[in-house]
Amino acid sequence: MKPQLELIMNNNQRVPFTEIYAKDVIDLGREAPILKNNDVEFAYTDGETEADANFQAFPFVLEFVLEVGSWVFLQTKLQEMYEVLYQRKAYYLHTNLMPGIFYKARVSDLQLTKWNGSIAQIKIEWSVIKGCGESFGTTLKPFTLESEKWQIGQGALAEDHQYIHTKNHIQIYNAGSFEINPRMHELKITIQTYSQGGFKLTNRTTGEMFKFNDNERLYDTDTVIIDGTKIYKNGIRSGRLTNLGLISLAPGINEIDIDNVSRVKTAWDFRFLYK
């Protein structure tokens, strides 16, 4: 299998980069995670005080052979690549080697490493700005290899985890390595419920609670959406009707309670994050 890289731009345009430019691929893939040590040293004390490390941006590399007929033609091809690679906004890198994970990145370097008159060897390096990979599919997409959005090793295929529920007490499984924090990551929770006066959504695993006001009656036709940090009722921004609490998802099983409702349907849509 020939390694292939596609770029997924902000307008969802997909650019089959290696298919267009690479005669042969020499190297393609991400490098190891980079941890930043945040331990603190104080004067007149031994050692350091421990603090959580954080994951920094890490390199993603493509090295390939470009077949060109002359130095002039090489300059033309390089200009074409500059137009594609250097964008104001970051875009995603997706390979056929790890089809279930993609990486949000900015190009950081492009070098012509070899040139013999007709063949150029080029090395491109990106910086993966989030410090992690993201699942190519979201939790509301089918967890099958046939969907071409998941792969073995993502922790999502072995068990039959559900992300649409009609019960008050449920489990939401985060198969990734990182907490899903709605202040930073994609997380969309959709709630349709019948309630005489508001409701309370609690993640007992993290201790977080979202509350819709007690004096707000909700019907089966009403839809409440927590989309990142934005809260909507029937498409209208409605944060003032809530306690403005947000729900994050720890790695592994999250125990969720929905209280003060007689009927409820919830949908949880997010991507898993990987080291």
Side-chain angles (χ1 to χ4, degrees), residues 210 212 216 223-242 244 246:
F210 170 86
F212 209 86
E216 287 291 323
T223 300
V224 175
I225 296 176
I226 311 170
D227 190 358
T229 59
K230 299 175 182 177
I231 302 165
Y232 302 88
K233 178 187 176 186
N234 299 331
I236 299 172
R237 290 287 290 270
S238 303
R240 61 185 177 80
L241 301 178
T242 76
L244 298 178
L246 295 174

Side-chain angles (χ1 to χ4, degrees), residues 66-101:
L66 173 66
E67 191 171 33
V68 291
S70 67
W71 179 256
V72 173
F73 190 53
L74 172 62
Q75 298 306 307
T76 301
K77 283 295 182 183
L78 286 174
Q79 183 61 42
E80 283 183 19
M81 285 190 280
Y82 296 154
E83 294 292 336
V84 173
L85 294 169
Y86 289 84
Q87 302 289 333
R88 292 186 186 275
K89 295 184 181 296
Y91 47 86
Y92 281 93
L93 310 177
H94 184 227
T95 77
N96 63 340
L97 304 177
M98 294 284 285
I101 300 176

